[in-house]
Amino acid sequence: MKKLSLFIALAFVMQSCICVHVIGRKTHFMRDLTDEQKNNVCWTTDSISLIGMKNDNRIYAINAHQMKELLKTNEKAVIYQWSPHCSSENCTSLGLTQSYCDEKSIELYVVIDYYADAFSQIESIRNPLLSISERHYNTELAQELREIFYKELLGDKYDKKNYSRFYYFENGEFLKTYNSINNLQ
């Protein structure tokens, strides 16, 4: 009887560890959002164009095709892969990043991994806040989403080993990645 109880307890603990591990790697944590915030996440499709949209305090879940179309409309643009809890020296506030890009005449597009805490920063930028659509790519794993999205966006210029925070484009053409906003030209 003791062995059975120990086995059941051990199985429960092991199952809990596995669940926590898998949940911890998921990207958007929709469960942490209020109902109002959940209603302000817009799941887009290829037929929805983001061209000309301004920040309306919603987050738009997009795919690489939509991002390509958007980037083609700008002479200079940068995608900032932003995370609200990043403590690296390469992570900058959205307001500071927007100001820097404005000074350099570079259009800023912010792509987030996590919805939680992003809504509190949304007013710091001019363009809509974007996320990679887990529905379009059929996965909730952050690393896998980023890899699929950037591989599709950058094509043969994609290098899995060259993950960065900033992706710089001119006239829709990818030129270079940067780890710091201060390195942008």
Side-chain angles (χ1 to χ4, degrees):
M1 183 68 170
K2 282 185 179 181
K3 286 183 181 182
L4 180 60
S5 297
L6 181 61
F7 176 76
I8 292 172
L10 184 60
F12 178 77
V13 168
M14 293 296 287
Q15 182 180 9
S16 297
C17 291
I18 291 168
C19 290
V20 168
H21 178 70
V22 171
I23 290 170
R25 291 180 20 183
K26 286 188 178 181
T27 179
H28 298 296
F29 297 106
M30 289 294 283
R31 71 183 187 287
D32 292 340
L33 300 181
T34 66
D35 287 339
E36 181 182 353
Q37 289 172 329
K38 286 178 184 177
N39 290 332
N40 282 319
V41 175
C42 301
W43 301 95
T44 66
T45 62
D46 277 339
S47 63
I48 295 175
S49 174
L50 302 173
I51 296 171
M53 278 186 148
K54 296 297 176 198
N55 186 340
D56 61 1
N57 294 323
R58 296 191 290 177
I59 297 172
Y60 289 84
I62 65 165
N63 61 54
H65 172 74
Q66 291 169 297
M67 190 79 239
K68 282 181 189 182
E69 293 301 313
L70 193 55
L71 292 167
K72 287 178 188 177
T73 65
N74 299 283
E75 185 179 330
K76 295 178 183 179
V78 68
I79 296 173
Y80 179 18
Q81 185 67 44
W82 181 73
S83 181
H85 300 292
C86 179
S87 60
S88 164
E89 63 186 33
N90 297 326
C91 297
T92 57
S93 73
L94 294 184
L96 179 64
T97 306
Q98 182 69 66
S99 295
Y100 186 87
C101 288
D102 290 347
E103 279 179 31
K104 302 286 185 182
S105 298
I106 300 171
E107 199 64 35
L108 173 65
Y109 297 104
V110 178
V111 177
I112 61 170
D113 283 337
Y114 303 100
Y115 292 132
D117 299 324
F119 284 100
S120 65
Q121 300 293 316
I122 206 166
E123 293 179 8
S124 303
I125 59 172
R126 184 175 40 257
N127 289 312
L129 198 54
L130 308 171
S131 69
I132 302 169
S133 177
E134 57 193 48
R135 290 181 183 175
H136 178 82
Y137 294 108
N138 201 29
T139 183
E140 293 180 343
L141 302 178
Q143 183 176 343
E144 186 177 359
L145 267 175
R146 280 191 305 268
E147 187 173 327
I148 294 168
F149 178 81
Y150 286 106
K151 189 174 189 176
E152 187 177 324
L153 181 66
L154 306 178
D156 61 350
K157 294 181 180 179
Y158 173 76
D159 182 1
K160 183 178 181 174
K161 296 178 223 158
N162 196 15
Y163 172 77
S164 295
R165 288 275 170 200
F166 299 92
Y167 296 80
Y168 180 72
F169 296 79
E170 286 186 3
N171 300 311
E173 185 71 26
F174 170 70
L175 295 182
K176 191 172 181 175
T177 59
Y178 295 93
N179 282 322
S180 172
I181 190 70
N182 298 324
N183 296 334
L184 284 177
Q185 300 163 359

